[in-house]
């Protein structure tokens, strides 16, 4: 079942379950004793929690009573005085005085009353507990209580639990801070808990911080378990250059057990009032999410602005799935104006598709219709992606008569359409059957393969005569072979040495008359060394007569199989020129660039290095260096550098540094700095500080993000983000600060929870 954690739930209100019922504590609120209680508990001696006794199964119905003095009356009642201790399974009550009436099944206690249950401790002046097996009720006066799971402490004039499993607290207050001098405090005139329906309500609720009231509501309802209820969530606020002062007031709507929604009015000082929403549903076979925002009139652009996204996944049959994704935005600047994430604002397209997948053993079938929305309207229409309406694929392999020989098949039908009527469109059919014979031993493998690719086109244009494209038929043959060597190291690890050869032969066929629908050249990586086509997409099959030589070495923990280090290096040697290209050029180099990768993991450290050596110009044409350290959420460090050359000139050169560092138990610093060395300008900068006390935390961030712009003048969006947490109460300022850090800093997890 879907469920949004309701912020009020962890505050007052799942904490008073069956206040005097040991059975209910045992069944419903059994806690993990390993839970950590924050430092307020150690420093605040107002009330202590002592684990109650856990009786053996044969004694679970017994009650043990001890006192300095006991006196029984002729009517059967018993009075106890001095160090009175009453113990039942998972319940202990101590007091100065007690009076037990067996006829009424009541126990009256007074004088330094203390109760311990697994989830609750309380002190009271006096109280009455009914211990009947059917109706359990009780009342305590002048109560101070402690919930050890989250160190929540409070007081109430009375706590009254009746036999219908309803509990009422009058003039109650609650905090996780030092009880006598709390930094924050919640108070309510009356709190009513319905333990059967698992919800509660409260009147005249006030939240104070540093003794200053900052939130009041005359009435609230809240769940006391995972059961969800509709209601107002905590507001979110912040400020930015592009939006001004922001305030959001989300409202949660519990539509049904399998449906919910959050509706969020969002006021932006510079933009106006926006309405946002998020709807989720779950059925036996389908889950989906619909979200969006709508701003009727932007005060800056005088236009309506909106974002829409719908995503769905359905399991129609065990092997048949349906995925739907539809996205739309009002204009190309939407993400730039309304997002704090550099990853979001750098998007250039939005994918929209419906995909039907069927998997059976080693066979995969897919039917898809796809439209790609180009966000940047300055992109010429002719350069925008094609739509696939539809694309059908069938891929897989199978053994031939239980032999090592495999039959393989890659096939595709796709109809390409385009919003520009003047360019070539049409259909492409590709059928590639093949044979593979994978053989291997303990220290070697060899995998010869042969395929035959048949491709045919049916193209047309609306502005010129139909273009005739001849069918393409090409055989593709390859042999992949490698060896495995390993040796033990003195530290108990094992090192491997894995040389690998890959020979590929594809004859040349002129393909210049074939249109380019979806084909491009991928980045050169180690995995590219072993592909049988240097192009991605079906419009070009590269001619090849080449040999790849590669070497990989790994250092492995033999007990766990975990890799401490993996290093790979490789190069392709060409025996013939490559005549097939996207632009009609011919590649004459006798060898490819040298590509190398290094990945290491050691305890809290992780590093990645990718380099590409241009053998023609004797320079590094690509460099990626990344170092990551994380010992815990408050001690994290990342540093990265990447550089890419294009025609002997720098295309990209950037550094990316980030850290989270706890200066002491309470204060932490946060930094993210993404800088372009080539352009000598900041791309994304975040600086902040976090304060974490035993009962509340605050995180204050300042962000300066380079906006995408076609103008020659750089424009930055400067924003201030705040995350404020009352421990035990939850996040009271929304999650925008946390989300921004999670998207910007690798390995970041919330340090305030």
């Amino acid at each position: 079942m879907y469920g949004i954690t309701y912020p009020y739930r962890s505050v007052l209100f799942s904490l008073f379950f069956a206040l005097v019922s040991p059975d209910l504590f045992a069944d419903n609120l059994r806690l993990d004793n390993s839970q950590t209680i924050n430092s307020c508990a150690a420093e605040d001696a107002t009330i202590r929690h002592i684990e109650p006794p856990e009786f053996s199964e044969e004694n679970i119905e017994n009650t043990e009573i001890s006192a300095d003095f006991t006196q029984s009356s002729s009517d059967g009642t018993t009075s106890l005085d001095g160090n009175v201790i009453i113990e039942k399974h998972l319940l202990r009550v101590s007091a100065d005085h007690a009076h037990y009436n067996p006829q009424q099944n009541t126990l009256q206690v007074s004088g330094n009353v203390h109760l311990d249950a697994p989830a609750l401790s309380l002190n009271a002046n006096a109280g009455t507990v009914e211990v009947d097996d059917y109706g359990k009720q009780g009342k305590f006066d002048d109560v101070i209580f402690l919930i050890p799971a989250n160190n929540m402490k409070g007081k109430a004039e009375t706590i009254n639990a009746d036999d219908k499993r309803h509990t009422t607290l009058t003039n109650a207050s609650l905090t996780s801070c030092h009880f006598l001098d709390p930094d924050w405090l919640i108070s309510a005139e009356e709190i009513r808990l319905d333990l059967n329906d698992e919800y509660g309500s409260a009147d005249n609720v006030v939240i104070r911080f540093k003794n200053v009231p900052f939130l009041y509501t005359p009435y609230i309802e809240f769940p006391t378990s995972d059961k969800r209820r509709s209601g107002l969530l905590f507001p979110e606020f912040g400020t930015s250059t592009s939006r001004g002062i922001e305030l959001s007031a989300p409202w949660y709507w519990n539509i049904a057990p399998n449906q919910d929604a959050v509706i969020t009015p969002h006021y932006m000082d510079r933009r106006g009032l926006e309405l946002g929403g998020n709807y989720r549903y779950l059925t036996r076979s389908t889950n989906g999410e619909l979200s969006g925002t709508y701003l009727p009139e932007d005060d800056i652009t005088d236009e309506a602005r909106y974002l829409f996204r719908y995503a769905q996944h359905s399991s129609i049959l065990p092997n048949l799935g349906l995925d739907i994704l539809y996205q739309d935005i009002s204009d190309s600047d939407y993400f730039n104006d309304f997002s704090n994430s550099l990853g979001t604002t750098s998007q250039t397209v939005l994918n929209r598709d419906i995909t039907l997948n069927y998997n059976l053993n080693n066979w995969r079938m897919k039917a898809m219709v796809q439209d790609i929305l180009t966000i940047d309207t300055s992109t010429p229409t002719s350069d925008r992606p094609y739509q696939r309406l539809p694309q059908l694929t069938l891929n897989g392999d199978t053994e031939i008569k239980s032999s090592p020989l495999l039959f393989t098949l890659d096939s595709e039908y796709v109809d390409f359409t385009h919003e520009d009527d003047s360019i070539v469109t049409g259909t492409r059919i590709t059928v590639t059957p093949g044979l593979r014979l994978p053989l291997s031993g303990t220290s070697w493998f060899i995998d010869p393969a042969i395929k035959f690719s048949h491709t045919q086109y049916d193209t047309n244009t609306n502005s010129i005569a139909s273009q005739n494209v001849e069918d393409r038929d090409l055989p593709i043959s390859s042999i992949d072979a490698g060896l495995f060597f390993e040796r033990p190291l003195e530290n108990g690890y094992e090192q491997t040495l894995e040389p690998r050869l890959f020979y590929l032969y594809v004859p040349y066929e002129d393909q210049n008359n074939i249109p380019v629908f979806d084909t491009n050249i991928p980045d050169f990586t180690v995995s590219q060394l072993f592909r049988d086509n240097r192009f991605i997409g079906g419009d070009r099959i590269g001619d090849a007569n080449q040999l790849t030589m590669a070497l990989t070495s790994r250092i492995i923990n033999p007990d766990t199989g975990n890799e401490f280090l993996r290093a790979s290096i490789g190069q392709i040697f060409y025996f013939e020129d490559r005549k097939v290209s996207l632009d009609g050029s011919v590649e004459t180099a006798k060898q490819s660039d040298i590509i190398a990768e290094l990945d290491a993991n050691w305890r809290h450290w992780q590093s990645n290095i990718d380099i590409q050596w241009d053998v023609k110009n004797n320079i590094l044409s690509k460099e990626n260096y990344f170092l990551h350290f994380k010992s815990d959420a408050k001690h994290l460090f990342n540093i990265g550098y990447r550089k890419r050359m294009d025609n002997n000139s720098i295309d990209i050169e950037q550094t990316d540094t980030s850290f989270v560092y706890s200066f002491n138990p309470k204060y932490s610093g946060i930094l993210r700095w993404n800088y372009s060395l080539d352009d000598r300008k900041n791309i994304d900068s975040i600086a902040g500080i976090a304060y974490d006390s035993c009962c509340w935390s605050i995180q204050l961030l300042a962000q300066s993000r380079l906006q995408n712009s076609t103008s020659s003048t750089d424009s930055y969006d400067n924003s201030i983000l705040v995350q404020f947490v009352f421990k035990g109460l939850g996040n009271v300022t929304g999650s925008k600060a946390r989300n921004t850090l999670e998207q910007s800093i690798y390995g970041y997890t919330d340090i305030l929870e």
Side-chain angles (χ1 to χ4, degrees), residues 305-365:
R305 312 287 297 276
Y306 64 85
L307 166 70
F308 177 85
R309 185 179 188 274
Y310 175 72
Q312 172 190 315
H313 173 72
S314 299
S315 297
I316 302 172
L317 295 171
N319 298 321
L320 182 64
L322 174 68
D323 293 287
I324 300 175
L325 176 62
Y326 183 82
Q327 306 176 84
D328 195 15
I329 58 173
S330 57
D331 55 87
S332 59
D333 291 325
Y334 182 90
F335 289 135
N336 222 24
D337 294 337
F338 296 99
S339 176
N340 288 89
S341 169
L342 187 65
T344 300
T345 59
S346 61
Q347 288 186 95
T348 58
V349 296
L350 289 178
N351 188 35
R352 306 188 285 198
D353 59 55
I354 300 175
T355 306
L356 192 65
N357 292 287
Y358 183 73
N359 298 321
L360 182 63
N361 298 327
N362 294 334
W363 292 92
R364 300 167 299 280
M365 288 168 275

Side-chain angles (χ1 to χ4, degrees), residues 437-733:
L437 185 61
L439 302 172
S440 62
T442 56
S443 60
W444 60 275
F445 77 90
I446 184 169
D447 187 1
I450 185 169
K451 298 190 292 187
F452 183 82
S453 177
H454 170 76
T455 308
Q456 64 184 54
Y457 288 82
D458 182 9
T459 61
N460 62 79
T461 66
N462 295 328
S463 60
I464 60 176
S466 296
Q467 180 177 346
N468 183 28
V469 179
E470 296 180 357
D471 294 351
R472 182 183 62 200
D473 297 292
L474 281 171
I476 302 170
S477 56
S478 64
I479 300 177
D480 193 3
L483 298 173
F484 300 96
F485 302 100
E486 61 182 36
R487 62 164 184 165
L489 302 178
E490 293 182 357
N491 59 4
Y493 281 65
E494 290 183 353
Q495 181 184 9
T496 70
L497 195 64
E498 305 168 28
R500 184 177 176 185
L501 297 176
F502 177 72
Y503 176 75
L504 174 67
Y505 179 77
V506 183
Y508 167 73
E509 181 174 327
D510 187 2
Q511 302 170 42
N512 288 329
N513 70 323
I514 296 178
V516 178
F517 290 133
D518 63 351
T519 300
N520 54 55
I521 300 175
D523 290 337
F524 192 46
T525 62
V526 169
S527 62
Q528 283 295 112
L529 298 172
F530 306 100
R531 296 185 71 250
D532 57 17
N533 189 7
R534 61 180 177 270
F535 300 98
I536 290 180
D539 301 313
R540 295 290 185 272
I541 297 178
D543 54 322
N545 184 8
Q546 63 190 49
L547 177 67
T548 295
M549 300 180 66
L551 181 65
T552 297
S553 181
R554 295 179 294 159
I555 297 179
I556 303 172
N557 184 337
D559 297 329
T560 63
N562 294 332
E563 291 185 2
F564 163 62
L565 182 142
R566 173 192 285 263
S568 300
I569 187 170
Q571 186 178 24
I572 303 174
F573 295 90
Y574 304 107
F575 305 122
E576 295 179 5
D577 295 341
R578 278 80 59 216
K579 301 175 183 178
V580 178
S581 66
L582 294 175
D583 57 6
S585 62
V586 177
E587 297 182 26
T588 60
K590 299 302 180 184
Q591 55 194 23
S592 72
D593 291 348
I594 299 174
I595 191 77
E597 297 178 359
L598 174 67
D599 299 317
N601 294 277
W602 178 251
R603 294 182 179 175
H604 305 307
W605 293 90
Q606 175 186 333
S607 67
N608 308 95
I609 299 175
D610 302 323
I611 58 174
Q612 181 175 332
W613 179 260
D614 185 340
V615 296
K616 179 180 178 181
N617 299 299
N618 290 323
I619 60 172
L620 284 171
S621 58
K622 184 178 72 175
E623 303 172 67
N624 290 320
Y625 307 95
F626 178 72
L627 180 65
H628 167 72
F629 170 84
K630 182 178 181 181
S631 60
D632 55 52
K634 294 187 178 182
H635 295 87
L636 178 153
F637 173 76
N638 299 309
I639 185 169
Y641 170 84
R642 68 172 180 148
K643 181 180 180 181
R644 188 175 66 196
M645 305 290 290
D646 186 17
N647 294 325
N648 284 334
S649 62
I650 296 176
D651 182 33
I652 294 176
E653 187 176 17
Q654 296 179 0
T655 60
D656 198 341
T657 305
S658 57
F659 71 77
V660 178
Y661 183 76
S662 179
F663 305 113
N664 57 45
K666 291 187 176 181
Y667 288 94
S668 300
I670 302 165
L671 176 70
R672 193 271 174 113
W673 182 33
N674 187 196
Y675 182 76
S676 173
L677 296 169
D678 180 33
D679 301 319
R680 296 185 179 181
K681 62 185 179 186
N682 294 323
I683 300 173
D684 189 19
S685 302
I686 301 174
I689 191 168
Y691 173 81
D692 187 16
S693 76
C694 66
C695 63
W696 66 276
S697 302
I698 186 171
Q699 189 167 260
L700 181 64
L701 304 177
Q703 181 183 26
S704 180
R705 175 183 53 82
L706 179 66
Q707 293 182 304
N708 294 327
S709 176
T710 57
S711 66
S712 58
T713 304
D714 293 331
S715 176
Y716 287 86
D717 179 41
N718 302 312
S719 58
I720 295 176
L721 306 172
V722 179
Q723 184 171 344
F724 198 20
V725 174
F726 286 161
K727 295 186 178 179
L729 176 61
N731 189 346
V732 298
T733 55

Side-chain angles (χ1 to χ4, degrees), residues 170-278:
T170 58
N171 293 328
S173 60
L174 185 72
T175 185
S176 63
C177 301
H178 303 301
F179 187 73
L180 298 178
D181 185 22
D183 287 340
W184 67 267
L185 186 72
I186 297 177
S187 59
E189 187 175 279
E190 184 175 88
I191 301 170
R192 297 166 296 278
L193 304 177
D194 187 328
L195 302 177
N196 286 323
D197 201 28
E198 299 181 11
Y199 87 101
S201 62
D203 298 329
N204 295 322
V205 178
V206 179
I207 302 179
R208 293 176 172 84
F209 181 68
K210 296 294 185 180
N211 208 31
V212 177
F214 77 93
L215 183 63
Y216 168 80
T217 177
Y219 178 81
I220 61 170
E221 291 185 349
F222 46 84
T224 60
S225 69
D226 290 335
K227 186 179 292 186
R228 302 162 299 151
R229 295 186 66 87
S230 301
L232 187 67
L233 305 183
F234 279 107
E236 303 179 9
F237 58 88
T239 179
S240 72
T241 302
S242 63
R243 299 179 296 276
I245 298 173
E246 301 179 70
L247 178 64
S248 300
W251 183 74
Y252 176 68
W253 182 15
N254 181 32
I255 303 170
N258 66 328
Q259 301 177 65
D260 63 11
V262 177
I263 300 172
T264 309
H266 179 197
Y267 173 75
M268 295 168 285
D269 178 47
R270 298 195 61 197
R271 300 284 179 174
L273 182 62
E274 175 187 72
L275 183 63
N278 180 268

Side-chain angles (χ1 to χ4, degrees), residues 348-352 370-375 384-388 419:
T348 58
V349 296
L350 289 178
N351 188 35
R352 306 188 285 198
Q370 181 188 52
D371 174 33
I372 300 177
L373 175 66
T374 301
I375 296 176
R384 298 177 186 179
Y386 282 86
Q387 296 100 32
R388 295 175 172 91
E419 57 185 300

